[in-house]
Amino acid sequence: MARAKTNDVPRRSSRSLSAIIRANVLTLFNFVIGVLWALILIFGEWQDSLFGLVIVANALIGIVQEVRAKRTLDKLAVINEAPVRVRRDGREQEIPPRQVVLGDLILLGSGDRLLVDGEVVQSDGLEVDESLLTGEADPVHKRVGDQVLSGSFAVAGAGAFVATKVGTDAYAVKLAEEASKFHLAHSELRAGVANFIKYITWLVIPIGALLIYSQVSNSVDFGTAITGAVAGIVTMIPEGLVLMTSIAFAVGVIRLGRRKCLVQELPAIEGLARVDVLCLDKTGTLTAGGMELDEVLPLRDDRPVDAALAALANLDDQPNATAQAIRARYPAAGDGWAARETVPFSSARKWSGADFGEHGTWVLGAPDVLLDGGDGYDRAAELAATGARVLALCRADTLPATANGSTPGRPSTTDHGHAATDPGHAALEPVALVTLKQRIRPDAQETLRYFAKQGVTVKVISGDNPEAVSAIATSLGIPDGHRSIDARILPEDDQDKLGELLDSHAVFGRVSPQQKRQFVTALQARGHTVAMTGDGVNDVLALKDADLGIAMGAGSPATKAVAQVVLLDDKFATLPHVVGEGRRVLANIERVANLFLTKTFYAIVLSMVVGVAGVMFPFAPRHSTLVNALTIGIPALFLALAPTLERSRPGFVPRVLRFAVPAGVLCAVAVLLSFWAAHSKTSTLVQDQTAAVIALFLTTWWVLVLIARPLNWWRVALVGSMAVAFGIGLTLPFVRAFFALEPGGIRNELIAVGIAVAAAAAISIAVKVAGTLRT
């Protein structure tokens, strides 16, 4: 490590502390508010500069929350990193990925992800899937001397390669250097907030200039003019919206982290809320990891069934779950059962085999793939219908030739989903059936019931026998679980027909890795937001293409590497919490956006009217600080973190505008009417502004009530306490003096209250017509 370059690459789940500080401090809004703050300190009264403390608080809160999220992500990312097997000084050992150095000899097995580039020096039927890099669907057979690239993954066989490019020099790292950088969110939500900020910025410049000119031209006191102009400009800026969005995402990450759920890409938080179809792989998701050998049922009495099973199970140094289950009963191969030639298992082939010389050639795999009718085929189907996993052990004269996805013994036909090649079919003799026990997760049924209540459709997509998958789906109460489809008969080129079948059925068996990917694409084409869970290497492509990829913690390294969310403790029951957290974040950010943008729009209307009319601004910055704190700032912090079960809907920006524009305009009308109604020859500017502030508080407080719906005890307590706090502020002399509140008599106050009540009623009608209320 001291002499050679190490595999040091940035984690995609986190960004540096300096980047976090820059993102929270060096913003356009902070710069604008900072300049206005300085103007007030120079020309106005210090009480009117309280709004400047908001940017300090925003920055500090944002930094603290994001640093907390960063620490959580970094800790979980370390747990999630699969160790790399290397051979150093003649000894095999496991090391963290970042300790791989140039020249290391790296060992590969099925399911391993390639983290660095290299040259193959050993290949035992090694097949590598490079589709994530090249788009090529078929696995590539790798021989000694071939190059392998980071970002690909082993799907069959075993081998070793020497690292030739590591760290930022590796192929996949160069490709993904920008795309894999940490980002707070790149989504409809984040894009919507960014668009709001962009357009508001363009509005603030001309309206702010008009307001400054108007206030300076129509005031004998330059300090008062600057104070009025600053009050309008500051109120136009939704300075807390980005903060609340950041906090909601960061707290979501921390909450999920406590449940051992790693969010590798923060946009996944939004994906969680939008999911309406959940595709589940049976093995490792609905059933617990690992299997147990149940029965070996000979179909012939004159064949060495036990010896053949023992030899096949002990071929691979890194056995898959099936081989591990058989190896538990047959821990070692018999004497003389050395393999001359092997074909490793792959999800595309669904079988493995070996030539054992004088003992013959043996193949182990799916009965409906290896057997073509007969008693063995029918018996296997009966066993599969009970939910058992069934394998067929067959003997052949020669080891069947292979060609990506080819099948021995049965013709390869495009109608059945096999590659249209002719590998040279071998005649297979059924010798025995092997059944494996799979344990259904105890939390599976309750979790599936949750998704049904939440309107999320579940699709079970498995490479296993359709009858076996259907039996498990039915036992778990999945709707239409008894109507399974064999994926080999599905159309390959007719996307519309495939989509119709996916919509009308819930259980699919014998699904190839490429078909899983096609399923996701077809569902997305029909307008669905698709989440895919999986743990095996055959799930990688589908996880990558899904709107939300969820990997199980015990899954293959390749699966965990491409997923946006990893359930580190391997608990299927964590999924409802994952979905619930996403819904909480999006629904609450929409509420908060309604609050902040209502403020922005009433400030824009007030600034334009005041600027054109050439009158004084109806309130001072300290007034806006008080009202905003009680109707937006404090409530928004609680609302942004509140629990909710609402599923997110597309159309975030139009919905917010349909609420905020009419509400903001009506608030501005109420403020102006109250300000002008209170004005008389004997009234002071402070008294006129006080009437306007009362109307402003009451109308914006009513907006808060509407946004907080549906009301429960704590939300009633929240909005009620804000009203009490404002009432106390009007009552206590020192608070009135600090915030420059001077009631001008009962007449002015009653007029302001009456106007505010009428405006509140109008706001209720307007937003109801717009159809934006969440009831």
Side-chain angles (χ1 to χ4, degrees), residues 28-39 51-55 58 230 233-234 237-239:
L28 176 61
F29 281 173
N30 282 355
F31 172 74
V32 172
I33 293 177
V35 171
L36 298 175
W37 190 17
L39 290 174
F51 68 86
L53 298 178
V54 174
I55 63 171
N58 281 358
V230 168
I233 297 172
V234 167
I237 298 174
E239 70 284 347

Side-chain angles (χ1 to χ4, degrees), residues 52-90:
L53 298 178
V54 174
I55 63 171
V56 177
N58 281 358
L60 288 177
I61 293 172
I63 290 170
V64 168
Q65 288 290 359
E66 201 169 331
V67 167
R68 286 182 65 204
K70 169 184 167 58
R71 288 175 178 171
T72 299
L73 287 171
D74 286 348
K75 287 177 183 177
L76 295 177
V78 170
I79 296 172
N80 185 53
E81 284 180 346
V84 179
R85 292 186 305 127
V86 298
R87 187 176 295 133
R88 291 178 174 176
D89 299 325

Side-chain angles (χ1 to χ4, degrees), residues 153-204:
F153 53 95
V155 293
F161 70 97
V162 173
T164 57
K165 290 183 179 179
V166 300
T168 54
D169 293 334
Y171 181 76
V173 176
K174 285 184 176 179
L175 282 182
E177 196 165 20
E178 290 301 321
S180 63
K181 283 184 180 177
F182 176 96
H183 44 91
L184 199 54
H186 180 67
S187 58
E188 182 190 353
L189 173 69
R190 197 70 180 174
V193 172
N195 284 332
F196 286 141
I197 300 301
K198 180 176 68 174
Y199 295 134
I200 289 167
T201 301
W202 285 110
L203 287 172
V204 164

Side-chain angles (χ1 to χ4, degrees), residues 353 391 408 448 570:
L391 301 174
L448 292 171
D570 217 35

Side-chain angles (χ1 to χ4, degrees), residues 671-691:
V671 170
L672 289 171
L673 290 177
S674 299
F675 181 64
W676 290 333
H679 182 68
S680 67
K681 293 181 180 179
T682 59
S683 65
T684 64
L685 176 61
V686 173
Q687 290 174 335
D688 298 344
Q689 288 180 331
T690 300

Side-chain angles (χ1 to χ4, degrees), residues 592-610:
V592 169
N594 283 331
L595 279 177
F596 280 101
L597 293 173
T598 296
K599 174 179 78 87
T600 293
F601 284 112
Y602 77 64
I604 289 173
V605 173
L606 288 174
S607 299
M608 292 177 64
V609 172
V610 167

Side-chain angles (χ1 to χ4, degrees), residues 255 580-581 583-585 587-588 591 638-646 708-710 712 714-715:
R255 284 177 172 174
E581 195 61 39
R583 293 185 175 181
R584 180 195 64 77
V585 169
N588 291 337
R591 294 180 193 276
F638 287 93
L639 292 175
L641 304 178
T644 181
L645 293 177
E646 301 173 54
R709 293 172 64 180
N712 52 25
W714 71 263
R715 288 178 178 173

